[in-house]
Each structure stands twice: as structure tokens, then as C-alpha cells.
Amino acid sequence: MGKVIGIDLGTTNSCVSVIENNMPVIIPGTSGSMTTPSVVAFTKKGEQLVGESARRQAVTNPDRTISSVKRHMGTNWSVKIDGKEYKPQTISAMILRQLKKDAEEFLGEAVTDAVITVPAYFNDIQRQATKDAGRIAGLNVLRIINEPTSAALSYGLNHGVAQKVMVYDLGGGTFDVSIIEIGDGVVEVLATAGDNHLGGDDFDDRIAQWIVNSFKAEHHTDLSRDFAAMQRVRDAAERTKKELSSSGSSHIVLPYLTQVKGEPVHLDLTLTRAKFEELVSDLIERTADPVRNALNDARITPSQLGRVLLVGGSTRIPAIQEKVRQMTGKEPSKNINPDECVAKGAAILGSTLQGNAIVAADTGKDLLLLDVTPMSLSIETVGGVATKLVDRNTTLPTRYSRIFSTAAPYQRTVEIHVLQGERPMARDNKTIGKFRLKGIKAAPAGVPQIEVTFDIDANGILKVSARDLDTGKEQSITITANDRMSEEEIRQAMADAANYAGQDQIRREAMEVLNDSQSLLAKTEQALKNAGKQLDKSVKKQVKTDITRLRKLVTKCRLDKVTEEEVEEMRTTKSQLESSAAQMQL
Ligand code: AMP
């Protein structure tokens, strides 16, 4: 049985872990760092880049570089590149495939099984999309687990003293807060709350906006219209933000940022920590409500918290730590690595799912994990009301049935409209699926008995079924929200991914020949110029012909579609040019 990897598929960075000698270890990425930027890029030559290499070229290739795709998971967002449309699942799959490859190189064996983490506040569609991304990447996703739960798992392993713990997780794009009870080998989530659209990216945006405004005041030029300049501004904004976590001010210098009236203009600004805190104070304040809600749902006061754990890169911001201190009256624990603990928890769960008992260090007992639903689940009933079947923070897995009836006389069909959210009216909640139960026995209104069952598995993924108790007719949900990928689309994406992976070797060879050819062309053209008139006419003619032929092949070559024959042709043509160029030196 192969090893299971734990993947923290983050908005900004991703991290992979595996159990070695009964302890979770982090698998380094290709660049050697412990996390991999969640960035995908398509080069103009048709190559797909993932991670550090994609992040590095973002400034020069902004419209073909995709970052923070996690923010789009479960929506109908897509990006079109070279006429091909990519959904969030497909882009995420590219990141996952890279992580899988890194793990395989690290372990020296094939890896297929994985546990992937998602924000606790991810809805059903976002979870499904994450699972689909795993499938497209060739992974067998054993479980989707909530990030804070995962963090607590890695914490619980080391410090399994019985206590209630708050996990405050502020990453690049999402905010989650969970109240978790750890003790006696059990990790139980008591409540969870959060904001799907709040994270470090928003802090970067505020700094970027401040830079744009300051630049406008000084140079009367709107930087936001200059795409390439904005990419550099955003990069600088993130760097500045990080610097301000450890120093009181940050100097932002961007030479040759843009042109004003044909003249190059440099950016030179200083942002103080105090000003930064002023720029983001409302964002920090927005974390307070979820904290209060989670505590209320868990029915505890801050004083009953044993510990407060900080997870996610944005919790390194001193003002965030101060806010947590102020809200909980506790000094947040810093003895876990906020970037690594989520992946480590997923690796621990992965290993336990495989039947390897990972035991709590102190109690010596197996760990048992109890997760909860992040939001209430309801169906729409008469008058557009959302009637709850499963309350938020119900422990998983769970199953709940309730009997409904028809609203009109002799109604033969009912529509089951499944909703997720806390609002009383259906229209204010998120539709996660709709289906029809047909063939209900004709009867006066209110007579038929229709049993609706919600079944939520340990991944937090929901199945809904409706059954007419009289006729026994049953219908299960097919998620109709158009945000989901169809089975056919997933298969197509899997085939595309496999195809791309199969092409890897050819592409690598093509890349090598292409690079060599380009430097040969440059060298020979220069030599031709230098040789001038002394050169034998027939040699000159031959070199020129070979240059034209090779240049044509180089220009035509598309790395995403290149065939073995094309590589071979380029290789032969390159050799020909090498021979004719050698004649020039004679
Ligand atoms: P995560 O999704 O947990 O990897 O968090 C990534 C976010 O944390 C990004 O928005 C980073 O800019 C942010 N981040 C990382 N390190 C720091 C730091 N030292 N200070 C402030 N924010 C940071």
C-alpha cells in the first residue's frame, strides 16, 4: 500500500506532508522551500508552470498567470488561454499534480492517495470542486478535511492535554475560526465560523491601493491602468506587508515603474506599520463576528478556552495577534508553524485512514476525529421559506430525515430545492442543488408523505434523497448548480492532464533543443556579420539557408503540442547548421 499524502491546498501557498517514522514531515517543493506558491502560468510557448517558477514570471506574463484560484472554487469562473477554457478545478488540479510529483520524487514511489484540506467554511459545491480537482490530478482523495481541524490534529498529537482550543486561521484568501475540543484521543469540532472572502490578499489590495493613490497625488498618473506596473505594485504590497510584521516601517522602491510623458518614473515610498494598521483596521475588525459566533455556537466563553492557535500566514501580523489577544484574553500559542500544521494534520488523518494507528502522544490512544457541518442545510418550502433539516455545527457524518407534503391539490411533482446558509428565506441562502420527485400519487394537498433525507459523509459532502412513502418512488440529488463540473467534463480534464503528463518527456527534450537552437542561431548570425566579405559565397549561402530553416522550426514550435517528429526535425536541422557554421571558421 502506497503512502497517503496530506495536502494543504492554500490560496497563496500549498504544502504537502507525509508520515515518516510515525511523525508528519513536510515534503519540500522543487525550489527546496517547504511551501509551493499556488500559482499556475502558461508560457507563450505553451508550457505550463506551477509554483515558484510560475510566481517568478508573473510580472512579465500577468494575463497568462493565475493565482489565488481557490477563491474561485465552486463558482462558474473560468479563464481562457489560447482558446482553451480552464475552470478553477482544472487549475487547482495542476497545482495538485505538481505536489503529487514532488511527493513522488521525495518518497521515490508512486503516490495516489491523499487527504486534502479545505476551509471549514467551504460549502458543499466548493468541497466537491476540490475533490474533483484531486481526481483530475490523478489523486484518490480519501477525505476532505477542514483546515482548522487539521491544524488541531497536528497540535493534538503533540500536546494532547484535554482542553478546548480556538483555531484562528487567517490565510491568503479565507478566514476560519473553529472551536475544537481535544482530549482523551478525541478531536471534536464544537463549532466553526468564518468568512470565505477575507485574507492576506485583501491586505495586499489595501496597500496596493494606497500606493496607487500616493503615486497619483505625486505624479498625476493612474497606475491602475498599467497592467504590468500593477503586477509589480501588488508584489511589492505583499513584500511590504510581510516586512511590517517584523519592522515598524517599510521602504517601497520600484525603479522604472511606468512612464509619464515618455519619461521613466520610479516609485519611492515609505509605509509605516501604524499607517498599514489604519488601512486594514476594518478588515481586522471583520474577524470579530465569526469569533463571537463560533464561541456562542460552542456555548463557551473565552475564559473557558485552554489555548488559542494561530494558523495561516496572515496571523503573523502583529495587529491580528493583538486583536486575538483582545477578543479572547489569551496569549495565542505560537509553538506550531502556521504554514505547515494544516498539511501535517492531513497527513496524520491520511495515515489513520489507512489503518495505521497514529496515537496521541500523551494518552497512547488512537485519535478519533469528529468534524461538523459548517452551515445549516435546508430545503425551500411554501412561501419561499428555508426549512432547516441539519443545523450548522452538527457532528459528521450525519443523516437526517423529515416528512413533507404537497402544497396544491393533486400535485404530482415536487421540486426539492436544497439550500445552504443561515437565513430564514430561501432566496437569501446559497442554492446547492435542485431536483424533482415525479409520480407522486394524486391526492388532496397535504396528504402525500414525502420523506426527504440529508446524508452528509465524513468529507462534509451531501447527498439528498426524496421518497414518496405511498408509492415508494425515490429520487436522489443531482447537483444542478452550473458551478459544478459534469462527469464528462471531469473525464475530459483527466484525459487532458494525463495527455499533458505523457507529453512531459517530449516537451523536456523539445525545450532543450529549442534553447540550444536559439543560442546557436544568435551565435551564427553574429559570426556571419563579423565574417563579412571574406566568407566563401557558397558557405555563406548554405549557412543562411540553414539559419532560415532552423528559425522557422523554432518559431513554429509550440511546447504544448510538439511531437517527437518535430523535435527530431529540429535536432537534425540544428546539426546541419552546426556543420555549415563550422565551415565558416575554416
Ligand atoms: P497561507 O494561505 O496560510 O499560506 O497564507 C498566506 C498569506 O499569509 C499570504 O497573504 C501572505 O502574504 C501572508 N503572510 C505570509 N507571511 C506573512 C508575514 N510575515 N506577515 C504578514 N502576512 C504574511
Side-chain angles (χ1 to χ4, degrees), residues 119-194:
Y121 230 63
F122 254 24
N123 66 31
D124 187 70
I125 296 168
Q126 292 165 308
R127 281 165 202 267
Q128 285 281 7
T130 307
K131 232 183 154 187
D132 291 345
R135 267 182 73 196
I136 297 169
L139 288 168
N140 173 29
V141 183
L142 297 180
R143 186 72 68 86
I144 296 285
I145 171 184
N146 290 338
E147 285 159 13
T149 314
S150 197
L153 251 187
S154 61
Y155 187 82
L157 188 70
N158 302 325
H159 315 261
V161 187
Q163 59 189 316
K164 291 193 177 74
V165 170
M166 174 187 284
V167 181
Y168 181 103
D169 179 358
L170 189 61
T174 52
F175 171 58
D176 271 350
V177 52
S178 300
I179 312 292
I180 293 171
E181 185 158 20
I182 304 178
D184 210 15
V186 178
V187 177
E188 180 173 7
V189 183
L190 302 178
T192 172

Side-chain angles (χ1 to χ4, degrees), residues 8 10-14 169-173 199-201 204 238 241-243 245 311-317 338-339:
D8 168 9
T11 309
T12 323
N13 293 300
S14 296
D169 179 358
L170 189 61
D201 291 357
D204 301 347
E238 193 194 0
K241 174 189 72 177
K242 288 184 179 171
E243 208 177 306
S245 290
V311 178
S314 302
T315 58
R316 291 201 172 94
I317 297 173
D339 300 324

Side-chain angles (χ1 to χ4, degrees), residues 191-499:
T192 172
D195 188 333
N196 249 342
H197 292 276
L198 178 64
D201 291 357
D202 299 302
F203 293 68
D204 301 347
D205 285 349
R206 291 288 170 87
I207 299 179
Q209 195 52 51
W210 175 81
I211 294 176
V212 169
N213 293 346
S214 309
F215 194 86
K216 202 182 224 164
E218 194 180 339
H219 300 284
H220 310 288
T221 299
D222 188 1
L223 274 181
S224 58
R225 296 214 195 108
D226 183 340
F227 205 67
M230 277 315 285
Q231 195 74 29
R232 287 177 66 195
V233 165
R234 261 186 227 106
D235 259 12
E238 193 194 0
R239 270 199 310 276
T240 301
K241 174 189 72 177
K242 288 184 179 171
E243 208 177 306
L244 289 174
S245 290
S246 51
S247 28
S249 72
S250 166
H251 194 186
I252 312 165
V253 184
L254 294 173
Y256 301 100
L257 183 59
T258 191
Q259 295 209 339
V260 178
K261 295 194 187 108
E263 289 294 315
V265 181
H266 317 295
L267 179 123
D268 190 336
L269 289 168
T270 298
L271 182 61
T272 62
R273 189 189 279 176
K275 180 69 191 172
F276 166 65
E277 288 174 359
E278 183 191 315
L279 293 174
V280 298
S281 65
D282 60 312
L283 297 174
I284 296 178
E285 200 48 49
R286 261 171 64 192
T287 70
D289 265 352
V291 166
R292 262 190 298 274
N293 291 344
L295 286 167
N296 284 343
D297 282 354
R299 296 191 180 81
I300 61 167
T301 58
S303 62
Q304 289 168 276
L305 287 171
R307 260 172 215 277
V308 178
L309 307 187
L310 298 181
V311 178
S314 302
T315 58
R316 291 201 172 94
I317 297 173
I320 292 281
Q321 296 175 4
E322 183 49 40
K323 182 77 195 165
V324 174
R325 233 175 258 128
Q326 182 205 326
M327 287 186 295
T328 61
K330 290 242 142 36
E331 185 59 35
S333 299
K334 293 192 192 126
N335 52 352
I336 54 169
N337 184 325
D339 300 324
E340 299 176 359
C341 60
V342 172
K344 283 184 176 172
I348 293 169
L349 178 63
S351 189
T352 38
L353 287 174
Q354 252 191 345
N356 301 326
I358 298 280
V359 290
D362 58 337
T363 61
K365 291 186 184 165
D366 286 5
L367 276 174
L368 173 66
L369 182 67
L370 299 171
D371 229 322
V372 294
T373 55
M375 278 176 264
S376 301
L377 295 160
S378 10
I379 64 169
E380 179 170 352
T381 52
V382 182
V385 171
T387 301
K388 269 188 205 166
L389 267 88
V390 178
D391 278 324
R392 74 161 184 264
N393 294 323
T394 302
T395 304
L396 299 182
T398 187
R399 190 184 160 89
Y400 192 83
S401 294
R402 199 161 146 179
I403 311 280
F404 291 90
S405 193
T406 47
Y410 304 103
Q411 185 179 336
R412 305 296 305 274
T413 309
V414 285
E415 187 182 68
I416 310 288
H417 181 187
V418 188
L419 306 153
Q420 195 162 26
E422 310 307 320
R423 309 282 296 273
M425 297 308 288
R427 63 168 184 271
D428 300 321
N429 292 304
K430 167 108 184 141
T431 296
I432 55 169
K434 266 184 192 172
F435 66 101
R436 284 178 175 280
L437 179 65
K438 292 183 187 151
I440 298 168
K441 206 164 143 192
V447 173
Q449 297 225 302
I450 298 152
E451 184 187 52
V452 176
T453 304
F454 278 35
D455 218 324
I456 313 176
D457 69 9
N459 298 310
I461 290 174
L462 167 75
K463 271 202 193 85
V464 182
S465 55
R467 196 156 69 99
D468 179 355
L469 293 183
D470 199 16
T471 62
K473 277 234 159 74
E474 184 169 338
Q475 192 72 47
S476 297
I477 195 151
T478 39
I479 302 263
T480 53
N482 54 6
D483 311 340
R484 243 209 107 182
M485 269 173 119
S486 70
E487 194 53 32
E488 184 48 39
E489 281 178 295
I490 292 175
R491 270 210 205 103
Q492 185 57 47
M494 283 168 82
D496 285 352
N499 194 13

